[in-house]
Amino acid sequence: MFAVSAAAVLVCMVLAMLRAVLGPTAYDRVLALNNIGTKTVVLIAVLGFVNGRPDFLDLALAYALINFIGTIAVLKYIEYGDLGASAPRETGTE
Amino acid sequence: MMGDIVTVVVWLLLLSGGFFMVTGSLGMVRLPDVFTRMHAAGMVDTMGAGLTLAGLCVYSLHDGTGLVAVRLVLVLGFLWFTSPIATHAVAKAALSGGTTPYTVGDARLRAGQAGAGPDGAGEGRTGAAPDSTRKAPAEDERGRGDR
Amino acid sequence: MNRAPWLWAILFALWLVLSWHFTPLFLFFGVVTCSIAVLVVTRMGILDRESLPLHLAWRAAAYVPWLVWEIFKSNVRVARIILSPRIRVDPSIVHFQASQRTDLGRFIYANSITLTPGTVTTGIVGDDFEVHAIVQEEIDGSEENTMNRRVARLEGEAG
């Protein structure tokens, strides 16, 4: 039954990849990329159960965090063109 | 007996999780612009991943590997904490990057019907926004932007 | 309330759960690691009500299940939109006032809005929330108000 779930996740990754390839703006691609990352986390978790040894969950845990950091980093690079740039302070709570 | 019930529950959770995930991914392909696609991506992040991991969680609890269940809950917790922040970051970057959100008016204009809402309907109402020009089309279209 | 011991306890519990080795060597490593982490965090001065909101823990236990149910409902709504043969979306950006008093409350509210599919917080200035909704009706309803009230209650009297 886990194989079915893994297949579903793979289909979803293909769809998201389609959006990443098509996606007119860079933001579409980043969104699709972030989504593929989420699905990878789920896929790692499910594959652990498919193989009967769910020891890879620590990898999923780490991947969830890396994926998040990666998305933020890419967005920052698109927005400021420099990863070391500090965001301009805006008035009010942001 | 107990095992049968658990199997059925796990199947249900995995299938519904897969359903939401496929639907969300389909939405990412079908919906018209970044902002609407974000909602579809949110579906994958919340219910798609949530129900699938919940299914794995139930299975591992029945299997007697409670540690695995704890880890699954942690994974889900991280996902649900980071997903809205990433989505918000995409939305904010897209807005400040000059992407105008798709509205129904755009579609009508593109279809040549020129049916956009009357201009100026939203004037003054959007005055509070520091950047009202950007989203004026969206609000004019509906004429009832805020509550 | 001194938060450092609480942080240490939480980190060490996490260490124990993730490692699940109870040999003296591993316990020693855990103690050292958690202590260094707590030391660094204390020296950076980022350990406060916002970074470790312990005072919300009990009320959050009631809020989270409600939020999950909300997420489920809006998931079904968005799924219906996506699966309909012809996509009928009516996206718009709306502004409204939130009634939370602290930044932490606003943060929780904004993230809750974004976490429910169909609505994404695109910006906050002071009290003013800027939210993108996939269909206008999604945000016109009373649900957003309910969530606003619930987060304000979660935030508590202490502010």
Side-chain angles (χ1 to χ4, degrees):
Chain A
M1 69 182 137
F2 300 117
V4 175
S5 197
V9 178
L10 284 173
V11 169
C12 293
M13 284 169 99
V14 170
L15 287 172
M17 190 66 89
L18 191 65
R19 177 46 67 198
V21 172
L22 290 177
T25 65
Y27 308 108
D28 285 291
R29 297 179 212 275
V30 174
L31 189 68
L33 217 59
N34 181 33
N35 219 262
I36 290 174
T38 308
K39 285 160 190 164
T40 309
V41 172
V42 178
L43 187 66
I44 293 172
V46 174
L47 277 184
F49 282 81
V50 171
N51 294 332
R53 18 179 317 231
D55 305 324
F56 303 123
L57 278 172
D58 298 327
L59 295 185
L61 213 63
Y63 199 93
L65 295 173
I66 292 173
N67 179 41
F68 171 64
I69 302 286
T71 305
I72 298 293
V74 171
L75 281 173
K76 186 174 179 185
Y77 186 71
I78 293 174
E79 206 169 348
Y80 301 114
D82 178 14
L83 280 182
S86 56
R89 299 293 296 175
E90 297 184 37
T91 52
T93 319
E94 198 55 39
Chain B
M1 179 58 202
M2 189 66 191
D4 290 347
I5 296 175
V6 168
T7 310
V8 169
V9 169
V10 172
W11 262 113
L12 275 180
L13 285 171
L14 287 183
L15 283 182
S16 49
F19 166 77
F20 278 116
M21 203 175 276
V22 171
T23 311
S25 307
L26 204 63
M28 284 189 67
V29 177
R30 288 192 72 191
L31 288 171
D33 80 329
V34 201
F35 295 94
T36 43
R37 278 171 206 144
M38 276 184 322
H39 303 296
M43 267 180 71
V44 177
D45 284 356
T46 54
M47 275 296 120
L51 288 175
T52 308
L53 292 182
L56 299 181
C57 207
V58 169
Y59 180 85
S60 63
L61 276 179
H62 179 252
D63 218 27
T65 44
L67 273 180
V68 173
V70 171
R71 266 162 224 212
L72 286 168
V73 170
L74 277 174
V75 170
L76 190 59
F78 280 138
L79 275 186
W80 281 24
F81 260 107
T82 54
S83 141
I85 301 176
T87 310
H88 167 76
V90 174
K92 200 160 164 272
L95 274 180
S96 68
T99 314
T100 359
Y102 164 92
T103 55
V104 181
D106 292 350
R108 272 192 228 133
L109 281 176
R110 225 174 286 135
Q113 296 172 15
D119 273 336
E123 288 302 319
R125 210 167 21 74
T126 53
D131 37 11
S132 56
T133 50
R134 196 182 60 214
K135 58 186 103 31
E139 300 205 345
D140 285 345
E141 172 60 23
R142 297 302 304 173
R144 50 187 172 103
D146 42 13
R147 304 173 301 135
Chain C
M1 177 162 54
N2 190 3
R3 280 160 201 278
W6 280 103
L7 180 64
W8 193 89
I10 291 169
L11 288 179
F12 194 63
L14 193 63
W15 172 280
L16 287 184
V17 166
L18 287 184
S19 95
W20 212 249
H21 285 285
F22 295 101
T23 56
L25 180 68
F26 275 91
L27 288 179
F28 172 72
F29 283 157
V31 169
V32 170
T33 311
C34 294
S35 303
I36 292 176
V38 171
L39 192 73
V40 169
V41 167
T42 324
R43 274 176 59 91
M44 283 172 80
I46 54 172
L47 194 62
D48 52 18
R49 290 176 70 82
E50 285 193 359
S51 59
L52 194 63
L54 290 171
H55 57 289
L56 298 182
W58 289 115
R59 288 192 292 261
Y63 177 70
V64 170
W66 178 82
L67 180 64
V68 171
W69 176 238
E70 259 339 273
I71 289 173
F72 180 74
K73 281 194 293 186
S74 50
N75 258 291
V76 172
R77 279 199 294 266
V78 177
R80 199 171 290 156
I81 292 174
I82 293 173
L83 289 180
S84 62
R86 210 174 144 268
I87 295 266
R88 297 179 63 85
V89 289
D90 181 11
S92 64
I93 290 185
V94 298
H95 283 258
F96 60 88
Q97 303 288 316
S99 57
Q100 285 78 37
R101 280 152 304 170
T102 58
D103 284 352
L104 182 62
R106 290 192 196 108
F107 169 77
I108 294 171
Y109 185 34
N111 270 5
S112 305
I113 289 175
T114 311
L115 205 50
T116 48
T119 47
V120 169
T121 317
T122 51
I124 308 172
V125 178
D127 275 350
D128 188 42
F129 274 55
E130 182 187 288
V131 175
H132 182 273
I134 191 169
V135 282
Q136 177 87 37
E137 284 72 30
E138 186 85 11
I139 202 152
D140 265 355
S142 58
E143 304 217 349
E144 226 57 39
N145 267 323
T146 319
M147 186 182 275
N148 190 5
R149 260 191 296 110
R150 285 218 173 222
V151 177
R153 204 189 307 153
L154 167 75
E155 182 186 40
E157 295 76 31

